[in-house]
Amino acid sequence: MPAAPPSETDFEGLLRALVSSEVEFIVIGGVAGKAHGSPRLTVDLDVVYARSAENVGRLTSALAPLRPYLRGAPPGLPFCFDAETVRRGLNFTLRTTLGDLDLLGDVAGGGGYGALLPHSRELEMFGLRCRCLELDKLIEVKRAAGRPKDLEAIAELEAIREERRKRGL
Amino acid sequence: MSDVKRTPEGFVVAFPPLSGAPPFAPDPVIDAYKKDVDRGLIVENLKLTVDERLRQLVSVQGFAAEVRRAGRAAFGD
């Protein structure tokens, strides 16, 4: 049975579930943009996760209590979010009891966790130590995605870059 | 909570300083969108810590959810 859609995404709860299980992940997308200073509202958490068997095991255990289900899929599908499913797949757009979570094994223009790791930085998010994609790489992957809906967000991220440069930040 | 580094103007130093030109070429389409970006909001956000920026997201999300609830109550789905 899929989780009922929550009216709000509990970003802190989702991050806490991942951090407390020592999942290796990097925050990207709108939440990363927000961390960099974007005023844009986002409704889901996007993370790139390491594809090692150990990490996939930690990931699936961390999320199991949150009843992950494929977002937008009809109820009743034989979907089981376990290590085998993650191993056979790559990118998952999920609905959980804490809100919407996109798990990405690979992103266009950026690659997987190992390729993005040197372009990430550990930050305090909701009092939790999490890795977040650096601004330039975030812009690069958004550009590479080539989605028209991202154009405003990319313009905003590039404006953040310019404002930071002006101030030596 | 870790110590927060600020510039004399009050901007939070949350990341290493950006150096040099951006590693991507200018894009005329993105530049066209950039004209409409509210830089005032960005400048104010740069004065917040990362944690404050994220808590602001949660607060705005809560406000948006409340507006949706109020809309449903007033006008139905």
Side-chain angles (χ1 to χ4, degrees):
Chain A
M1 191 66 174
S7 59
E8 300 168 33
T9 296
D10 180 353
F11 298 106
E12 181 176 352
L14 288 170
L15 288 172
R16 192 172 296 283
L18 297 172
V19 170
S20 64
S21 294
E22 299 181 359
V23 176
E24 292 174 298
F25 69 97
I26 299 169
V27 177
I28 65 164
V31 173
K34 194 72 193 168
H36 284 289
S38 166
R40 185 165 296 270
L41 181 63
T42 187
V43 293
D44 61 6
L45 176 66
D46 303 318
V47 304
V48 175
Y49 65 98
R51 295 274 296 165
S52 68
E54 298 77 18
N55 195 55
V56 167
R58 289 191 291 267
L59 176 69
T60 51
S61 299
L63 297 181
L66 309 182
R67 293 162 50 204
Y69 194 75
L70 296 170
R71 192 155 77 237
L77 292 182
F79 176 73
C80 176
F81 187 74
D82 59 13
E84 184 61 14
T85 299
V86 175
R87 196 182 64 77
R88 288 176 182 273
L90 184 66
N91 296 340
F92 299 86
T93 53
L94 301 173
R95 171 148 291 155
T96 76
T97 53
L98 294 182
D100 292 346
L101 172 66
D102 290 358
L103 293 176
L104 307 167
D106 191 275
V107 288
Y113 177 85
L116 291 175
L117 193 58
H119 304 284
S120 70
R121 184 151 198 90
E122 201 172 71
L123 289 179
E124 197 160 292
M125 298 176 138
F126 301 106
L128 303 161
R129 300 300 294 178
C130 304
R131 295 206 78 87
C132 177
L133 201 59
E134 288 177 348
L135 182 59
D136 282 345
K137 200 65 182 177
L138 187 59
I139 293 168
E140 278 184 46
V141 298
K142 283 249 183 218
R143 279 180 168 225
R147 300 181 301 188
K149 70 168 193 164
D150 283 338
L151 287 171
E152 281 182 25
I154 297 167
E156 205 169 70
L157 293 172
E158 292 192 10
I160 290 170
R161 192 185 199 286
E162 290 165 8
E163 295 300 325
R164 275 181 56 189
R165 282 277 288 155
K166 262 191 236 171
R167 294 166 175 81
L169 295 172
Chain B
M1 183 70 75
S2 54
D3 291 338
V4 176
K5 287 187 207 156
R6 287 184 188 273
T7 66
E9 297 78 28
F11 293 101
V12 170
V13 183
F15 298 90
L18 294 165
S19 55
F24 35 81
D27 181 318
V29 176
I30 294 168
D31 287 344
Y33 276 89
K34 227 184 275 183
K35 291 179 188 134
D36 295 321
V37 170
D38 186 339
R39 288 176 184 258
L41 284 175
I42 290 171
V43 169
E44 288 310 306
N45 280 350
L46 293 177
K47 294 176 182 169
L48 304 175
T49 65
V50 168
D51 210 55
E52 287 169 338
R53 294 170 196 171
L54 295 174
R55 292 188 191 281
Q56 184 191 61
L57 166 64
V58 172
S59 170
V60 173
Q61 186 189 224
F63 173 72
E66 185 54 38
V67 170
R68 279 196 300 273
R69 274 192 291 272
R72 277 196 300 271
F75 307 112
D77 283 324

